[in-house]
Amino acid sequence: MTAVHGTAVNIPTPDGTADAYLAHPDDGGPHAAVLLYMDAFGLRPQLKKMADRIAGAGYTVLVPNVFYRHGRAPVVELPDFIGPDQRPGIFERIVPVLQSLTPELVVRDADAYLRWLAACPQATDGPIGITGYCMGAGLALRTACAYPDRVAAVAGFHGGNLASDAADSPHLLADRITAEVYFGHADQDHSMPPEQIERLEKALTAAGVRHRCEVYPGAHHGYTQADTNAYNPVADERHWTALEDLLARAL
């Protein structure tokens, strides 16, 4: 792992300015770019630590606050550790913000993030990798579908409702993907039940997408997030291995 430099940055979008965190190897050179999509709890120290770890492996990593329309991060104040007692109150405030982020806004914002990375001196010129967590897995999938020429790898971990019955479910756009895809599902995740996992797998296979979908046993929704009670260290390390392998192959 190399030394890493992290800093706050601002990304202009058609709807305002998205605050974000940028991490990259502290060696002065450009590196392949990775867009990290946050979970619903938002941009916070935990996600910065994850970005730093990816950057330490040799990548330039951007973590945007996708809720920027509602303010700079943290949009919702969070405790240092998110346990079961805190979740109801936090989600009462987060859910309306999450619901306001429509697929159309996701795609529009993604273009701004990708353009910013293309102009970033610390990033190489070329297709990027994306990793997303919780709601971020869906954002990663939508971005790969909307901008296939700009995305070489896409990963999602403990994502929810990736292949629902909704008319705008992201799996319905699978035929637009050219990236290599990896999903690590939690086997105890009510937001991504077995029927949705199967539906996503079938959609990716039918579209001829290079992909691998795995179910992590004993894992709950949020298993990668060490600042929550859902954290599972075994599943988390499995996620890191899968992600690092994917990025190494594709970028």
Side-chain angles (χ1 to χ4, degrees), residues 42 54 58 75 97 117 149 178 193 198:
I54 298 171
V75 173
V97 176
L117 278 170
D149 58 325
T178 59
E198 181 180 2

Side-chain angles (χ1 to χ4, degrees), residues 13-234:
T13 80
D15 299 324
T17 300
D19 52 308
Y21 178 72
L22 181 72
H24 58 86
D26 194 16
D27 58 8
H31 298 269
V34 175
L35 177 61
L36 192 161
Y37 275 126
M38 64 187 221
D39 63 352
F41 292 131
L43 179 56
R44 61 194 192 283
Q46 166 63 21
L47 292 187
K48 293 178 181 180
K49 290 177 183 177
M50 295 175 73
D52 287 350
R53 176 163 175 171
I54 298 171
Y59 303 95
T60 291
V61 187
L62 180 68
V63 192
N65 166 25
V66 303
F67 293 156
Y68 71 89
R69 293 177 181 83
H70 299 267
R72 298 181 70 84
V75 173
V76 173
E77 291 295 331
L78 300 170
D80 292 336
F81 184 81
I82 302 168
D85 294 339
Q86 291 81 28
R87 284 178 177 269
I90 293 171
F91 276 107
E92 184 178 357
R93 288 170 284 164
I94 286 178
V95 168
V97 176
L98 172 59
Q99 291 176 338
S100 71
L101 188 62
T102 65
E104 293 76 19
L105 293 180
V106 169
V107 171
R108 192 157 75 211
D109 287 345
D111 180 59
Y113 306 148
L114 294 173
R115 288 180 183 275
W116 191 92
L117 278 170
C120 177
Q122 291 80 24
T124 55
D125 182 21
I128 72 162
I130 308 177
T131 184
Y133 302 87
C134 177
M135 60 166 279
L139 306 188
L141 186 55
R142 290 190 187 281
T143 300
C145 294
Y147 304 104
D149 58 325
R150 302 194 221 176
V151 181
V154 57
F157 300 92
H158 49 82
N161 295 309
L162 299 177
S164 71
D165 294 327
D168 61 355
S169 177
H171 80 286
L172 297 174
L173 305 173
D175 60 349
R176 303 181 185 180
I177 298 173
T178 59
E180 182 177 352
V181 173
Y182 178 90
F183 284 105
H185 305 295
D187 74 339
Q188 299 178 49
D189 188 346
H190 297 301
S191 69
M192 195 65 188
E195 58 268 24
Q196 284 203 43
I197 294 174
E198 181 180 2
R199 191 179 296 143
L200 176 62
E201 173 79 31
K202 287 183 176 179
L204 293 171
T205 300
V209 176
R210 292 167 297 158
H211 72 279
R212 187 174 182 182
C213 297
E214 297 184 318
V215 178
Y216 292 15
H220 292 267
H221 185 81
Y223 62 78
T224 62
Q225 302 304 304
D227 60 347
T228 78
N229 66 304
Y231 182 64
N232 183 313
V234 174

